[in-house]
DNA sequence: GTCAACCTGTTGTCCGGACAAAGTGACCGC
DNA sequence: GCGGTCACTTTGTCCGGACAACAGGTTGAC
């Protein structure tokens, strides 16, 4: 009854089997080999055809359900959902998002210095106000146009962090390469209107709508390792979120 | 080494065991019995103490990891993360969010009618423009103050949906009771400034910052069952999102 | 004293099996 | 034809076990 995308698993690969399966199903959805509304083979059938156990296949499908790509119904089967038109918000920097969609990100580093933490940033990082932190202020452009002003605070000094690196790389990429593994982030999204300074930086009129996002990121030891306070031109940018239940 | 919150499981309950465990750990975090930074017992120890298998306990903890409440580290253990100050965005209506935090939600129903679908709504629902749909426009107040203007489109008629019901209940609650089970929603979040009409409704100045959210919701058969286009007063409302990796 | 090898504890992955719950459709009696 | 019952399929939950990968501490050699 169902459709079975061609999948191959490599048992000698260090990549977990469930992840290989999940990625290949996701790829089949992206390429259109699996269209919205299509019904997948049952978990048991997929497991048999791949020589895997049902829990492994189930774990793979579970990942895609969490990402909102497919839905399961007991007694019925597993079905492909309509693809979102645009990328979802993930734990990647704006830089990566833009680069992936081929929109030529560029960065002006306006500040990179060790400064006493402002009260707001200190509170988010769980530090006392005035504690020395690394502060970064960047203007992000896409295809030449200003897109966002991004302010970040880092509790620890990060040696590889230089103006030159930030001109071409996203902050999260640099942090990952420095061994800082961010695994959870809490974001608050709001809106405001541009004041004179913001308007000048973003080449908007005063009073233009801006999207604001504050983000506190944690590593796997539970420590806050980054706080960001960003403003985006609402006329050029919006955020995508997928929410799932159960 | 670790801390073990007091948990009891009821094997005769229809509620899945892993869910009982997850909820009780989450409750212990909320009440402060488990503080940020605390280390949980190992999965094996918890499983033994509850008379459950390790996969079941692991499934419970996995849910909390997905919700960004705790982090796991291989070879080390499982640790409680700092609590978010405010509720996260979930698949609940604004009404439920407000009611839960005790902020007296009220609703003015501005429109409830069967109308031809506007092109934007029709596209989101996967219908042809002009297809008859149920349209709802509501003004949501909190503690007397206007908070948001919410416009919703539903492809199917929902008999229990009346003005009286909407005055006291959230839309999602009504849909759930009508047997419509929403399990995935895609949201796009942006910002704009208030025009004269919006300003009058929301009791803001013209040009005030507004947060916009468009949401397409799907049921477990993969059909779009609701489209919403909402605007919030940015001065009174912001959205919370937790993002996790892996 | 220093450093490497080892040991232990923990989570990550994977297996095979079992039963329950829910949806679907066929069958049968009426 | 109609309605209810039953069987079947499929996902949901749970078990017990096994080994691998990783982090951290301990021990031992040099």
């Amino acid at each position: 009854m169902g459709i079975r995308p061609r999948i191959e698993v490599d048992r000698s690969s260090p990549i977990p089997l469930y992840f290989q399966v999940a990625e290949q199903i996701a790829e089949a959805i992206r390429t259109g080999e699996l269209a919205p509304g299509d019904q997948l083979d049952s978990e048991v059938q997929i497991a048999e055809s791949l020589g895997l156990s049902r829990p492994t296949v189930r774990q793979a499908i579970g990942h895609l359900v969490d990402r909102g790509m497919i839905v399961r119904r007991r007694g019925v089967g597993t079905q492909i959902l309509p693809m979102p038109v645009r990328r979802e918000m993930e734990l990647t920097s704006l830089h990566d998002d833009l680069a992936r969609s081929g929109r030529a990100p560029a960065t002006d580093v306006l500040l990179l210095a060790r400064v006493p933490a402002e009260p707001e940033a200190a509170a988010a990082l769980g530090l006392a106000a005035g504690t020395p932190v690394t502060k970064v202020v960047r203007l992000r452009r896409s295809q030449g146009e200003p897109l966002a002003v991004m302010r970040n605070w880092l509790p620890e000094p990060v040696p590889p962090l230089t103006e030159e690196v930030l001109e071409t790389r996203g902050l999260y990429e640099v942090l990952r390469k420095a061994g800082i593994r961010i695994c959870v982030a809490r974001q608050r999204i709001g809106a405001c209107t541009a004041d004179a300074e913001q308007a000048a930086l973003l080449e908007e009129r005063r009073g233009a709508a801006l999207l604001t996002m504050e983000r506190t990121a944690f590593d796997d030891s539970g420590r806050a390792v980054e706080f960001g306070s960003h403003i985006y031109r609402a006329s050029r940018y919006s955020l995508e979120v997928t929410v799932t239940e159960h």
Side-chain angles (χ1 to χ4, degrees), chain A residues 95 98 104-110 136-142 148 150 163-171:
Chain A
H95 181 95
L98 293 172
T107 307
D108 300 345
V109 178
L110 306 180
V136 185
V137 181
R138 293 170 295 165
L139 176 67
R140 173 63 43 81
R141 298 171 182 277
S142 172
M150 316 170 74
E163 289 201 14
E164 292 70 38
V165 168
L166 281 176
E167 303 268 346
T168 56
R169 304 283 177 182
L171 177 60

Side-chain angles (χ1 to χ4, degrees), chain A residues 172-242:
Chain A
Y172 274 33
E173 189 182 345
V174 177
L175 293 181
R176 260 198 307 276
K177 284 189 176 149
I180 297 177
R181 290 168 303 185
I182 291 171
C183 65
V184 188
R186 303 238 168 78
Q187 307 180 161
R188 184 202 302 261
I189 300 160
C192 67
T193 52
D195 63 24
E197 183 187 347
Q198 294 164 339
L201 277 172
L202 291 171
E203 297 178 14
E204 281 274 1
R205 298 187 324 282
R206 244 177 49 196
L210 302 177
L211 195 60
T212 67
M213 183 179 80
E214 294 178 7
R215 164 155 63 181
T216 308
F218 301 85
D219 69 3
D220 55 11
S221 72
R223 283 181 324 194
V225 293
E226 184 248 317
F227 172 69
S229 178
H230 306 160
I231 57 174
Y232 304 88
R233 294 173 74 178
S235 57
R236 311 272 160 159
Y237 194 70
S238 60
L239 297 167
E240 297 264 338
V241 190
T242 297

Side-chain angles (χ1 to χ4, degrees), chain A residues 19-61:
Chain A
F19 194 79
Q20 293 183 36
V21 175
E23 277 306 297
Q24 289 185 57
I25 295 177
E27 187 59 25
I29 294 175
R30 274 189 290 270
T31 63
E33 184 181 350
L34 289 173
D38 281 356
Q39 193 120 8
L40 273 183
D41 269 0
S42 76
E43 297 171 354
V44 179
Q45 286 173 323
I46 295 177
E48 269 180 18
S49 78
L50 296 178
L52 300 173
S53 71
R54 189 183 153 211
T56 301
V57 173
R58 189 168 170 73
Q59 190 178 5
I61 294 176

